[in-house]
């Protein structure tokens, strides 16, 4: 039951926002009493913490699945971008923006948890791209990982709507890729940008 509550709460938080969803909403949606929820979670903040942890795990399992498909480095980044779009398509409000605004302590915990995971993913992608001849050989990988991390997470915290966030993330991905790409990398980037499902 605890897992079901976390799962339903995560779904509602992402769709309707962390602030607007109440414990009553979650109970009504699941056809259970609010008392049942409070048996597992003494307040809404703890439920938000647990549900963001579940979303985090789901995201990184999906990223690992994409990485296992052995796309080239540039296509891999676009597939990850597509996965995020699918995952957050039902929400109007940006979940990260709402979390930062209304629950800053939980937001900071989420962000610090993401640092290591995301930096590892970004680093592996750059190494792969260099090996494939899509990114320039002489890149300072640490600097480019830091650049991209700061770009993406500043977008998450400042874009108030999910649509705006998705648009800015695509711009950031293009900017990041162009900065690193070889001529064959640029050709692959241009091909990926033709995909109509990106926005």
């Amino acid at each position: 039951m605890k897992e079901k509550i976390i799962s339903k709460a995560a779904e509602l938080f992402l769709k309707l926002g962390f602030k607007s969803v109440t414990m009553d909403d979650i109970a009504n949606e699941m056809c259970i009493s609010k008392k049942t929820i409070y048996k597992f979670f003494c307040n809404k903040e703890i439920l938000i913490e647990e549900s963001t942890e579940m979303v985090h795990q789901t995201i990184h399992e999906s990223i690992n699945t994409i990485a296992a498909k052995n796309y080239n480095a540039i296509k891999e980044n676009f597939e990850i971008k597509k996965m995020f779009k699918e995952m957050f398509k039902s929400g109007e409000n940006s979940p990260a923006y709402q979390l930062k605004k209304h629950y800053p302590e939980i937001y900071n915990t989420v962000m610090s948890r993401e640092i290591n995971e995301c930096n590892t993913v970004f680093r592996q992608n750059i190494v792969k791209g260099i090996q494939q001849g899509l990114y320039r050989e002489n890149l300072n990988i640490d600097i480019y990982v830091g650049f991209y991390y700061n770009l993406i997470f500043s977008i998450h915290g400042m874009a108030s709507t999910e649509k705006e966030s998705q648009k800015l993330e695509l711009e950031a991905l293009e900017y990041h890729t162009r900065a690193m790409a070889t001529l064959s990398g640029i050709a692959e980037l241009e091909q990926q940008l033709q995909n109509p499902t990106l926005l």
Side-chain angles (χ1 to χ4, degrees):
M1 179 53 87
K2 185 179 181 182
E3 290 300 307
K4 284 181 181 172
I5 294 169
I6 295 169
S7 181
K8 178 53 73 177
E11 182 193 317
L12 291 173
F13 289 144
L14 293 181
K15 189 176 176 182
L16 303 169
F18 290 98
K19 182 71 175 170
S20 49
V21 174
T22 64
M23 296 298 234
D24 280 315
D25 293 332
I26 298 162
N28 291 338
E29 194 73 23
M30 294 184 72
C31 301
I32 59 174
S33 71
K34 198 159 67 166
K35 204 169 162 184
T36 306
I37 297 177
Y38 280 113
K39 199 165 81 177
F40 298 102
F41 309 97
C42 58
N43 59 44
K44 185 179 166 184
E45 281 75 9
I46 288 171
L47 183 50
I48 290 174
E49 282 171 11
E50 297 251 5
S51 61
T52 55
E53 172 64 30
M54 178 184 266
V55 170
H56 165 83
Q57 285 171 359
T58 305
I59 286 171
H60 288 284
E61 280 164 18
S62 300
I63 289 172
N64 291 338
T65 302
I66 291 167
K69 289 183 178 171
N70 245 352
Y71 295 120
N72 71 58
I74 292 172
K75 183 171 173 59
E76 179 178 272
N77 275 340
F78 277 86
E79 289 296 318
I80 290 170
K81 169 79 185 75
K82 214 187 297 176
M83 176 271 293
F84 273 104
K85 186 189 171 202
E86 282 302 304
M87 190 172 271
F88 297 108
K89 68 181 175 184
S90 60
E92 277 298 308
N93 300 314
S94 161
Y97 178 84
Q98 283 226 342
L99 201 59
K100 185 179 183 182
K101 188 176 177 186
H102 301 294
Y103 302 96
E105 282 182 22
I106 299 174
Y107 175 83
N108 290 334
T109 304
V110 167
M111 288 300 110
S112 61
R113 189 170 59 210
E114 290 297 326
I115 287 173
N116 290 337
E117 293 264 11
C118 288
N119 284 356
T120 302
V121 170
F122 297 160
R123 174 179 296 283
Q124 286 168 347
N125 180 267
I126 294 173
V127 169
K128 184 180 189 177
I130 291 170
Q131 288 167 349
Q132 293 171 336
L134 296 170
Y135 301 150
R136 292 177 286 111
E137 279 184 13
N138 59 344
L139 292 176
N140 183 322
I141 295 174
D142 286 335
I143 287 175
Y144 277 84
V145 166
F147 281 164
Y148 193 46
Y149 176 85
N150 285 316
L151 259 180
I152 289 297
F153 284 97
S154 64
I155 289 168
H156 282 181
M158 72 182 185
S160 60
T161 69
E162 194 49 41
K163 193 171 182 182
E164 182 190 3
S165 182
Q166 294 284 351
K167 187 175 184 304
L168 288 171
E169 280 174 34
L170 180 57
E171 294 282 349
L173 177 54
E174 181 182 352
Y175 180 81
H176 173 66
T177 308
R178 283 193 192 282
M180 300 188 297
T182 59
L183 287 175
S184 57
I186 295 287
E188 177 63 27
L189 170 64
E190 295 296 349
Q191 193 180 326
Q192 292 301 324
L193 289 170
Q194 299 305 312
N195 188 337
T197 64
L198 281 171
L199 275 177

